[in-house]
């Protein structure tokens, strides 16, 4: 019999009726940059429309975010150079920028889901995600000990999810054990399980002034050519106690999202990273693409590949477009 698939494409109503993938606000997590000071709102040069906020103005931004219907944010700190060192000591200062931000946010917006980055690169004078020895080697176990302290401070401040983004071996298990021992059994872990040594991170490092001072991150972040390794990393993080696993970046790694989907019932997050954001913004500003439609197509593709959650700098923009929850 001759088939006519176009029958179900004839109207917007029919297309909605048989649509397989639905993008909604509850799928989105909004990354935000916080910095010291007061009344400060500084645009990131390589990320048009994205800002670093002092805490007072961050709270104002979050009021708008909640009104738009977004329910989750991820916090990233811009740390002054004077507070950076190789050991990342400021990362576990209970009165540091991120713990203060968590407490203020939770006091003002108790229902907002707060996710916090666990890594040393914003706090390191070397720009690496781990402690560096005298030979330039990134030390794994010594770094994990600091990450544990950082996660505990964030949990104590009220973070809903701590998100280790460093790719050190064994850090998920160590953090889970420490959180449970400190009676933070309800604090979840969003693990950057398949984080690749990607060229798409440049604008993010611009935003936090966290580019490596030497070399690259290829001894701890994953090789861009590998996919089976992602399954291994996801399996390890699940066994160690991850509540959500992450693939980063998203667009160049849609195959990774799709490949790991059959191997886990754990929710999968994908990070629509700064370079992906910047490319769309740049093309839209030049009139080469229509921004609204390409943003929605991009995020839908990530969801279609198998992601349950998407960290995206477009989250607020999507909410302003009128996308709702079902």
């Amino acid at each position: 019999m001759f088939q006519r698939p176009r029958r179900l494409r004839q109207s917007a109503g029919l297309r909605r009726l048989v649509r397989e993938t639905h993008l909604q606000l509850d799928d989105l997590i909004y990354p935000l940059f916080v910095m010291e000071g007061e009344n400060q709102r500084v645009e990131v040069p390589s990320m048009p429309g994205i800002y670093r906020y002092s805490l007072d103005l961050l709270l104002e931004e979050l009021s708008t975010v909640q009104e738009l219907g977004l329910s989750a944010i991820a916090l990233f700190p811009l740390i002054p150079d004077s507070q950076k060192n190789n050991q990342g000591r400021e990362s576990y200062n209970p009165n540091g920028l991120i713990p203060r931000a968590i407490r203020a946010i939770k006091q003002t917006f108790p229902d907002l889901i707060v996710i916090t980055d666990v890594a040393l690169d914003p706090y390191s004078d070397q720009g690496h995600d781990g402690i560096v020895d005298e030979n330039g080697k990134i030390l794994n176990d010594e770094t994990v000990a600091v990450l544990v302290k950082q996660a505990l401070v964030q949990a104590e401040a009220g973070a809903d999810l701590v998100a280790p983004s460093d790719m050190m071996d064994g850090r998920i298990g160590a953090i889970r054990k420490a959180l449970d021992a400190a009676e933070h059994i309800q604090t979840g872990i969003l693990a950057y399980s398949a984080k690749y040594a990607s060229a798409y991170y440049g604008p993010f490092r611009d935003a936090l002034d966290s580019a490596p001072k030497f070399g690259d991150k290829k001894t701890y972040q994953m090789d861009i050519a590998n996919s089976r390794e992602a399954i291994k990393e996801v399996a390890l993080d699940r066994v160690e106690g991850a509540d959500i696993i992450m693939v980063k970046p998203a667009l160049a790694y849609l195959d990774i999202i799709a490949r790991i989907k059959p191997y886990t019932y754990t929710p999968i997050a994908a990070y629509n990273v700064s370079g992906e954001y910047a490319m769309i913004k740049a093309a839209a500003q030049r009139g080469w693409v229509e921004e609204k439609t390409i943003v929605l197509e991009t995020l839908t593709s990530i969801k279609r590949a198998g992601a349950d959650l998407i960290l995206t700098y477009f989250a607020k923009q999507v909410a302003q477009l009128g996308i709702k929850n079902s």
Side-chain angles (χ1 to χ4, degrees):
M1 180 181 295
F2 185 71
Q3 297 294 313
R4 295 188 182 274
R6 288 185 56 196
R7 289 193 188 105
L8 298 180
R9 304 175 194 151
Q10 295 308 301
S11 69
L14 275 172
R15 291 192 295 273
R16 287 194 301 270
L17 186 67
V18 297
R19 187 161 291 154
E20 300 172 23
T21 303
H22 296 272
L23 182 71
Q24 56 186 16
L25 288 191
D26 279 343
D27 301 328
L28 306 181
I29 299 167
Y30 189 25
L32 288 159
F33 301 119
V34 62
M35 64 182 183
E36 297 285 5
E38 294 182 358
N39 198 33
Q40 297 292 309
R41 180 178 180 265
V42 181
E43 190 170 30
V44 180
S46 53
M47 300 178 71
I50 299 299
Y51 298 86
R52 309 178 189 100
Y53 296 93
S54 56
L55 183 51
D56 54 339
L57 295 192
L58 178 67
L59 294 175
E60 291 185 13
E61 174 70 0
L62 292 180
S63 179
T64 301
V65 164
Q66 270 212 323
E67 288 174 4
L68 287 169
L70 292 167
S71 59
I73 63 166
L75 284 179
F76 299 92
L78 175 64
I79 301 299
D81 287 344
S82 61
Q83 296 179 0
K84 294 182 179 182
N85 55 59
N86 185 33
Q87 291 73 35
R89 294 189 189 94
E90 183 62 20
S91 69
Y92 54 90
N93 175 3
N95 295 310
L97 178 59
I98 287 296
R100 282 187 281 116
I102 298 167
R103 289 192 290 267
I105 292 167
K106 280 298 184 180
Q107 182 176 3
T108 311
F109 308 104
D111 296 328
L112 190 65
I113 298 168
V114 177
I115 302 167
T116 49
D117 185 48
V118 177
L120 293 196
D121 53 329
Y123 306 90
S124 169
D125 58 5
Q126 302 299 308
H128 277 283
D129 294 56
I131 297 171
V132 183
D133 74 5
E134 62 274 10
N135 298 313
K137 180 181 179 181
I138 311 301
L139 301 176
N140 192 95
D141 296 357
E142 293 85 345
T143 298
V144 169
V146 177
L147 298 175
V148 167
K149 294 179 182 180
Q150 185 180 1
L152 285 170
V153 165
Q154 294 174 356
E156 183 64 31
D160 297 286
L161 292 159
V162 295
S165 64
D166 54 286
M167 291 299 287
M168 298 295 123
D169 292 338
R171 89 276 202 215
I172 302 302
I175 290 171
R176 183 72 271 162
K177 181 178 180 180
L179 289 173
D180 290 351
E183 299 185 356
H184 294 301
I185 59 173
Q186 300 301 335
T187 304
I189 298 177
L190 190 165
Y192 287 60
S193 299
K195 181 179 179 179
Y196 285 83
S198 171
Y200 284 94
Y201 303 149
F204 178 92
R205 293 171 183 171
D206 179 25
L208 296 186
D209 188 25
S210 62
K213 297 299 187 289
F214 68 92
D216 53 43
K217 301 191 176 186
K218 293 181 180 179
T219 66
Y220 47 99
Q221 294 178 2
M222 287 178 56
D223 190 320
I224 64 169
N226 291 357
S227 60
R228 292 195 306 272
E229 185 182 7
I231 299 172
K232 176 181 179 180
E233 289 280 7
V234 166
L236 288 171
D237 284 356
R238 286 183 61 222
V239 168
E240 291 181 24
D243 298 285
I244 303 171
I245 59 98
M246 171 94 84
V247 175
K248 181 183 180 183
L251 286 182
Y253 299 87
L254 295 178
D255 63 312
I256 304 301
I257 299 170
R259 182 156 190 180
I260 66 176
K261 187 74 171 180
Y263 288 91
T264 179
Y265 293 107
T266 304
I268 297 172
Y271 203 143
N272 179 212
V273 296
S274 60
E276 297 165 351
Y277 174 90
M279 289 191 298
I280 290 176
K281 281 291 185 179
Q285 287 177 351
R286 291 177 178 267
W288 294 341
V289 298
E290 202 288 308
E291 185 170 338
K292 172 185 173 180
T293 54
I294 203 168
V295 166
L296 294 178
E297 182 176 346
T298 296
L299 297 179
T300 300
S301 76
I302 298 169
K303 189 86 185 293
R304 188 184 65 238
D308 301 290
L309 306 168
I310 306 170
L311 277 81
T312 178
Y313 301 97
F314 290 115
K316 181 181 177 183
Q317 185 174 340
V318 169
Q320 290 170 329
L321 291 174
I323 301 297
K324 303 294 184 183
N325 293 317
S326 59

